[in-house]
């Protein structure tokens, strides 16, 4: 934690002055020194330490106990303050295209966001994900660091979405997402998946129906306006009928 005190506990009563003189911290850390007892030195930082900072602590072998015996060898160790939360993976991947409208969105963080004991209480947990344009749906934490979102009625087809995890989200250790994490993906574009009669078919009856099936619901007026049936250099008149929003027959 950024405001945590650092404690050094020795195995025997120490000469406090020699220990304090032998102590160095790199980079320099402004802290107040106090002794809980003759064995435990407490360093209390003056304010919060920087996020994601790594410190090296050294107690030189000039530190002595109360009987004047010095340390057998210097004491060295490192510690790091709570850093920044990060998004380690998203699915679909940034820049994905032609996605099925029912695709689920997954965000994987590099550290726990919610306590393990709270996963069963999904309604009380944070929802870190938003979309532009907005999407109705439901999300759940699969574990402490993986969030899954399912669109309620699917994403709109032929649409580019921008997903966002807002800055300020915190993990269970106090790490914070420093800036927005955003990425984009696009859903499937309109395409013809079937048509009748087949290309080059030679025995079409004079009154046979021409059918075109698309991969998604279409704007009827635009399809009809752009459809043409030509024979001997002239347009062939006819009427349109739609089935399920995706299949046009003429």
């Amino acid at each position: 934690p950024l405001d945590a005190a650092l404690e050094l506990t020795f195995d025997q009563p120490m000469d406090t002055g020699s220990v304090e003189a032998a102590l160095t911290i790199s980079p320099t850390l402004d802290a107040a020194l106090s002794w809980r007892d003759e064995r435990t030195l407490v360093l209390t930082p003056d304010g919060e330490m920087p996020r994601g900072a790594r410190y090296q602590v050294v107690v030189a072998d000039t530190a002595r106990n109360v009987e004047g015996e010095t340390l057998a060898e210097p004491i060295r160790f490192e510690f790091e303050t709570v850093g920044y939360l990060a998004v380690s993976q998203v699915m679909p991947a940034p820049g994905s295209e032609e996605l099925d409208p029912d695709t689920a969105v997954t965000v994987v963080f590099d550290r726990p966001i919610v306590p393990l004991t709270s996963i069963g209480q999904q309604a009380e947990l944070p929802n870190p994900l938003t979309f532009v344009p907005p999407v109705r749906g439901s999300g759940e934490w699969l574990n402490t660091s993986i969030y899954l979102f399912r669109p309620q009625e699917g994403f709109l087809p032929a649409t580019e979405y921008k997903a966002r995890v807002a800055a300020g989200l915190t993990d269970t250790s106090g790490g914070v997402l420093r800036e927005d994490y955003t990425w984009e993906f696009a859903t499937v574009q309109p395409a013809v998946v079937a048509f009748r009669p087949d290309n080059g078919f030679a025995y079409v009856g004079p009154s046979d129906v021409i059918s075109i099936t698309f991969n998604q619901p279409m704007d009827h007026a635009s399809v009809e306006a752009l459809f043409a049936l030509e024979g001997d250099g002239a347009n062939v008149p006819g009427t349109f009928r739609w089935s399920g929003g995706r299949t046009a027959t003429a």
Side-chain angles (χ1 to χ4, degrees):
L2 304 181
D3 58 354
L6 176 66
E7 297 186 4
L8 289 82
T9 301
F10 298 87
D11 65 347
Q12 55 192 275
M14 301 296 290
D15 176 73
T16 58
S18 69
V19 173
E20 294 177 11
L23 175 67
T24 58
I25 301 179
S26 178
T28 302
L29 175 63
D30 295 329
L33 303 180
S34 61
W35 287 84
R36 179 172 299 163
D37 50 45
E38 291 182 315
R39 296 174 52 197
T40 304
L41 173 62
V42 180
L43 294 83
T44 304
D46 297 338
E48 290 189 345
M49 294 177 282
R51 285 188 178 273
R54 180 178 291 275
Y55 292 91
Q56 183 182 64
V57 181
V58 177
V59 180
D61 57 7
T62 55
R64 304 186 303 273
N65 65 9
V66 293
E67 297 175 353
E69 295 291 332
T70 59
L71 293 175
E73 58 185 20
I75 300 169
R76 292 184 175 87
F77 65 93
E78 295 182 349
F79 69 91
E80 185 175 350
T81 59
V82 170
Y84 291 95
L85 173 66
V87 174
S88 58
Q89 185 181 10
V90 293
M91 292 172 285
S96 296
E97 298 179 345
E98 298 293 319
L99 294 175
D100 188 292
D102 292 329
T103 296
V105 178
T106 304
V107 183
V108 181
F109 297 92
D110 67 343
R111 59 188 72 183
I113 304 299
V114 298
L116 182 62
T117 55
S118 299
I119 292 178
Q121 302 170 309
Q122 294 285 342
E124 303 174 8
L125 301 181
N127 175 5
L129 195 56
T130 57
F131 299 92
V132 177
V135 182
R136 296 180 61 186
S138 59
E140 64 175 318
W141 290 92
L142 301 182
N143 59 29
T144 59
S145 59
I146 299 178
Y147 182 79
L148 177 69
F149 175 87
R150 294 184 178 90
Q152 181 175 330
E153 298 176 353
F155 292 101
L156 295 174
T159 303
E160 185 172 286
Y161 284 91
K162 184 174 184 178
R164 171 176 173 261
V165 180
L169 181 68
T170 57
D171 62 38
T172 54
S173 67
V176 63
L177 188 65
R178 179 161 38 182
E179 56 187 24
D180 289 357
Y181 182 92
T182 62
W183 81 101
E184 297 179 356
F185 57 87
T187 50
V188 62
Q189 296 292 316
V192 173
V193 295
F195 53 83
R196 292 289 184 272
D198 295 334
N199 187 34
F201 189 70
Y203 301 102
V204 179
S207 60
D208 284 357
V209 169
I210 296 173
S211 172
I212 304 174
T213 301
F214 297 87
N215 63 343
Q216 57 191 268
M218 302 295 292
D219 176 73
H220 296 182
S222 67
V223 174
E224 293 173 10
L226 295 172
F227 175 87
L229 178 62
E230 298 178 353
D232 295 329
N235 289 330
V236 178
T239 59
F240 292 95
R241 184 173 71 253
W242 286 85
S243 174
R246 302 188 182 191
T247 303
T249 55

